[in-house]
Structures are given as C-alpha cells and as structure tokens.
Amino acid sequence: MNLKGLDYTSGSVNRLLIRTAIPMLLASLVNVTTQLVNVFFMGHTSQTVLYVLSLYIPISFIMIALVEAMQLSVQVAVSRSRAEGSRAFTSLLGHMLGSAAIFSIVAGGVVMLVSPLLSWFYAVPMDVRPMFTIYVAGMMAAGVPAVLAAVGGAALRGLGRAQAAAWNSVGTASLNIMLVYWFVSVAGMELKGIVYANLISSTLSLLISLLILILRKEFVYERVTFVWKHLIALQQVGIPVFISYCLIFLSTFFFNKIVSRFGEGVVAGFGVGYRIQTMAILPGIVIGSAIGIMINHNLKEAHRPRAYESYRRGLVQSFILYAVIAVSIWVWREPLTAFLIADPVSRAEAARYLAVVSLSYLTMGPMMTTLLTMEQSGRGYQALLMNAAYFLLIIVAGWGLTRIFDHVGYFYGVIAFVNAASSLCILPVIRLFKKDYTDSSGHKPTDADEQEGLAAQSYST
C-alpha cells in the first residue's frame, strides 16, 4: 500500500490538525455553500416551495445519519488498520460499500412508504402533498449514491489523503451548484432540479474517489469474502453515531411540529434559520473528525499523551473559530436572510431565529467538536446520551412554553439557553480524556479494543 499520506504519530500536533482539518473544512464550506445556494434558488421561487424544503429538513437527517455513521466508521477502521496492506484495505472498503448500499436502500424505502403519514402529521395542504411526496422520494433515491460517495471520501481521509478527498468534494459540490442553477433557474424544474443535481454530483464523487484509490494502488482487484473484523467499526462507531443523528431527525421532526401551528411563513423562516445553524456547526464537526483521526493514529501506549494533546489543542481551535462564526452570523443575520429569501414573512422569521440563537454557537460548536471526538474514540454511547438529553430538554421545554405563552420566540429562547448550557459538559470530558490518555493507571482496554483484538486473531482473506 502507498503510505505517503500524513504521519500523525510525529511532528507538530497543531500543524497536523490544521493540515487535516482545513481540507475537510474546505469541503464542508463548499457543501454549506451548496445548501445555501439551494435555499437561495428555492427562496426566490415561491413560499410553497420553501415550505416543502423546510418540512424536508428533519427527513434529511435519515440519510445524513447514514452518511455520518458510515464515513466515521470507515475513517476509524482505515486509520486503525492502515498498515495491513492493500488487500486488507480492499476487503474493508468492499464491506463498507456493501453495507452502505444496503442500509441506504432500506432506509430510503421505509421513508418513502411513510411519507403520506408525514404529510398528515404536519397537516400539509392537500394541493402541496404531491410536491412533498415526490421531493421526499427523489431525495431518498439521491441519498444512495451520496452515502456511497461519503464512504469513498472517508477512506481517502483515513489513509491520510485528506487533500484528495477535499478537492473531490470541492469539485463535485461546485458541479452541484451549477447543475442546480441550470435545472432550477433555466429548466424551471424547481425541487426536481435539486434531486437531479444531487444524483449526478454524488455518483461522480464516488467514481472519482474509487479512481484515486485505484491509481494510488490502495485499492486492488481482490475477491471479497465476509470478514467480521471489518464491521466492528460499524458496531462501535457507526451505531451510536447513526442513533445520534436519528435523535436529530426525531427532534427536528418535533421542532417542525412545534412551529407548524404558527403558519407556513413561520415554518419556512424557521426552516431556513435552522438550516443555517446546521451549516454553521459543520466546522465543529470537521475539527472533531480531524481530532478523531489523530487519536486513532496514536493509540499505542507511547503515543497516548499525544492523543490527549490533539483533543486539547483542537478544542482551543474550535473555540477561536466559533467566536468568529457566532458573532458574524449575529451581525449579518438580516442581510443573509434577505439575500436567501424573497418572501418578507419568512425572511423576518429566519432573522428573528438567528437573532435569538446565533450567539449561542460560541459554545455549541466546541460541544459538537467534543461529541465527534467522543464518537470516534470509543465513547459513542456516552455522546449519544448527551445528545438525547440535549434534544429532549429542548422539545419538552419548547413545546410547553409555546403552548403556555402562544409565541414561537420562547422556543427559540430554549434552543439558545440549552446551547449555552451545553458548555458545562465540556470540562468533565476534558478530564476524562486527560485521565485516559496521560495517566497510564487510568487506561483500561475498552470493549472496542478487546473486540478488535479478537477479530485480528481470526482475520483471514
């Protein structure tokens, strides 16, 4: 195997984090731009189209859950088995691609079947329901190559080829923007244009990742036989990550229900504001993912203090970055929403949401960095419990206060308060990482370590 990627076991921690995170962040920022461009095009068509796009937000987290679960599992598995050779890597990637295809097809099929129930739950007007159902079905179909493309990109990052993965993401996301413009603004396809653009760009991204792996001789022709070892990362990393994102699906599902009683304009405006928030937390996720790669390359006893230093320095970088992000969104909230949305009611609601919530991103971003680090270092179920508490508190308090005072602003205030309060969880996690990685007496093999060791003993191709 060609091992000329980054060596995470030596050199400056800060420099390696930056060299890993910046290409990933660049790719994420391009994806953010893609999402905002989609909102821009839809926001200048009609309120109904923007309404459907907002209703789709919670449903989108089903495929996002699969994307994150698969790509984090692949990054961890590839990082830990990097030195085993091209044959082992090929077998690993084959298992992950097969699992991703099966899971995404099943998940998409289930969502398509229940989409009429979603229309009923949200009380979607009868004349809008066909548009909603068709869009959901199309995005579920487009989600299959998107999940597979995420596996390909994660394999490149796990091998230390973050730049190649980033340029792939940048190129295909740029293509996506151009395709959305053509399909929506030129061909007049509205929501269907987003579906076609996603199908084309995701398929191309997958093919490019595979081509890079083949040309770099990382991926070779090999008859793949089932090996349980390759699926351990799915069990230890993928499952808790998937459940965490399913919690986001359930929470945003109820978030939309909470605001739906205040009218289509409020739903559309909240949807845009929440989408901006979802995009804003991506840098925190990227930094956490970079830290996870660093940690998984430094699990040997001699390198464990370096694993803790990776988390500590990455967390500082996250706080600095989110000081800029939170203030920028708060200051520019009205020009941003005015640029994205033509409808005055929806535009005003999106700006109001950001006015209340955006400054709380200062702590929400670093918390996302911490959660992603936990998910990739054998603490996925602890991160899952923290996520569950976060969303449950918002749903219960938000639902109760909006019913008592009949004003959506109380719901926005709850989100801001819980975001700020989440910072109280960071200090205990810092102490936990410090004890585990710098105190040899505090380190005990985790279930993941033991299972991986057992799998390694029975490994065969």
Side-chain angles (χ1 to χ4, degrees):
M1 183 185 288
N2 186 349
L3 298 177
K4 293 183 180 179
L6 294 176
D7 179 8
Y8 293 103
T9 61
S10 62
S12 169
V13 171
N14 274 331
R15 188 179 299 114
L16 284 168
L17 281 173
I18 291 172
R19 289 187 65 185
T20 303
I22 284 183
M24 296 166 66
L25 182 58
L26 177 62
S28 294
L29 289 175
V30 173
N31 290 330
V32 167
T33 303
T34 302
Q35 295 298 322
L36 292 180
V37 167
N38 290 346
V39 172
F40 171 80
F41 287 129
M42 297 302 105
H44 287 74
T45 52
S46 68
Q47 187 186 87
T48 299
V49 171
L50 194 61
Y51 170 66
V52 171
L53 196 66
S54 299
L55 287 181
Y56 177 73
I57 289 176
I59 303 169
S60 69
F61 281 105
I62 295 295
M63 282 303 176
I64 291 174
L66 281 174
V67 166
E68 294 299 328
M70 292 304 307
Q71 71 178 3
L72 291 179
S73 298
V74 171
Q75 282 179 195
V76 171
V78 172
S79 297
R80 291 181 176 178
S81 62
R82 187 180 179 189
E84 293 184 11
S86 298
R87 294 179 61 193
F89 170 78
T90 301
S91 180
L92 169 62
L93 186 59
H95 281 69
M96 291 300 186
L97 287 172
S99 300
I102 293 171
F103 293 152
S104 56
I105 291 171
V106 171
V110 171
V111 172
M112 289 180 192
L113 289 175
V114 302
S115 60
L117 293 177
L118 297 175
S119 297
W120 167 81
F121 182 78
Y122 286 132
V124 179
M126 293 301 297
D127 60 326
V128 180
R129 291 189 180 187
M131 179 189 296
F132 176 72
T133 302
I134 291 173
Y135 182 62
V136 169
M139 291 302 288
M140 289 299 104
V144 176
V147 175
L148 295 174
V151 170
L156 289 171
R157 291 191 295 272
L159 291 169
R161 301 188 182 280
Q163 288 186 343
W167 283 116
N168 182 14
S169 296
V170 169
T172 52
S174 300
L175 174 64
N176 183 279
I177 292 173
M178 291 186 287
L179 289 173
V180 169
Y181 168 76
W182 194 88
F183 285 132
V184 175
S185 298
V186 178
M189 294 184 179
E190 293 186 341
L191 291 171
K192 290 181 181 178
I194 296 179
V195 174
Y196 294 144
N198 285 355
L199 276 170
I200 295 171
S201 59
S202 296
T203 302
L204 183 60
S205 177
L206 171 63
L207 294 176
I208 291 173
S209 292
L210 293 177
L211 180 61
I212 293 172
L213 291 170
I214 292 172
L215 292 177
R216 294 291 184 179
K217 299 182 180 180
E218 313 279 13
F219 186 86
V220 297
Y221 177 75
E222 179 75 16
R223 184 173 179 269
V224 177
T225 56
F226 180 76
V227 181
W228 173 247
K229 172 186 176 180
H230 294 325
L231 301 182
I232 288 178
L234 284 177
Q235 177 184 348
Q236 296 297 325
V237 178
I239 291 176
V241 170
F242 178 78
I243 297 175
S244 292
Y245 276 88
C246 285
L247 284 176
I248 299 177
F249 157 69
L250 290 173
S251 63
T252 51
F253 186 74
F254 285 103
F255 288 178
N256 271 355
K257 184 63 176 178
I258 290 172
V259 300
S260 63
R261 65 194 296 263
F262 298 101
E264 286 188 19
V266 173
V267 173
F270 167 74
V272 173
Y274 196 80
R275 186 178 290 272
I276 292 173
Q277 173 175 306
T278 303
M279 300 302 107
I281 64 176
L282 282 178
I285 293 174
V286 165
I287 295 174
S289 186
I291 296 171
I293 291 174
M294 286 281 293
I295 287 176
N296 284 300
H297 277 269
N298 289 277
L299 290 178
K300 292 183 179 180
E301 196 65 36
H303 295 149
R304 294 183 72 82
R306 184 177 176 83
Y308 167 70
E309 190 67 11
S310 301
Y311 170 65
R312 189 182 69 82
R313 297 195 182 192
L315 188 63
V316 171
Q317 293 175 4
S318 184
F319 270 110
I320 294 172
L321 179 61
Y322 274 94
V324 177
I325 291 175
V327 173
S328 297
I329 294 178
W330 187 83
V331 170
W332 295 96
R333 63 189 183 277
E334 292 188 0
L336 177 60
T337 54
F339 174 73
L340 293 174
I341 309 172
D343 178 63
V345 175
S346 304
R347 182 171 66 238
E349 193 62 36
R352 178 165 64 168
Y353 176 81
L354 294 176
V356 175
V357 177
S358 58
L359 289 179
S360 67
Y361 301 161
L362 175 62
T363 54
M364 184 182 184
M367 192 62 220
M368 290 303 302
T369 295
T370 296
L371 290 175
L372 262 291
T373 303
M374 293 175 68
E375 288 171 349
Q376 294 185 78
S377 59
R379 298 174 178 86
Y381 290 100
Q382 291 170 292
L384 175 60
L385 289 175
M386 294 167 68
N387 264 325
Y390 170 85
F391 289 117
L392 182 62
L393 182 57
I394 290 177
I395 291 171
V396 172
W399 189 289
L401 289 175
T402 53
R403 263 50 183 181
I404 294 172
F405 297 101
D406 195 31
H407 195 286
V408 72
Y410 287 92
F411 176 52
Y412 301 163
V414 168
I415 295 176
F417 173 80
V418 177
N419 284 350
S422 66
S423 62
L424 299 175
C425 300
I426 294 179
L427 187 58
V429 176
I430 293 174
R431 292 173 177 169
L432 178 66
F433 276 112
K434 184 175 182 180
K435 180 180 179 181
D436 191 27
Y437 293 128
T438 64
D439 181 4
S440 59
S441 63
H443 170 56
K444 297 179 181 179
T446 63
D447 291 341
D449 296 331
E450 294 175 0
Q451 289 192 38
E452 194 150 334
L454 290 173
Q457 296 173 15
S458 59
Y459 173 78
S460 66
T461 56

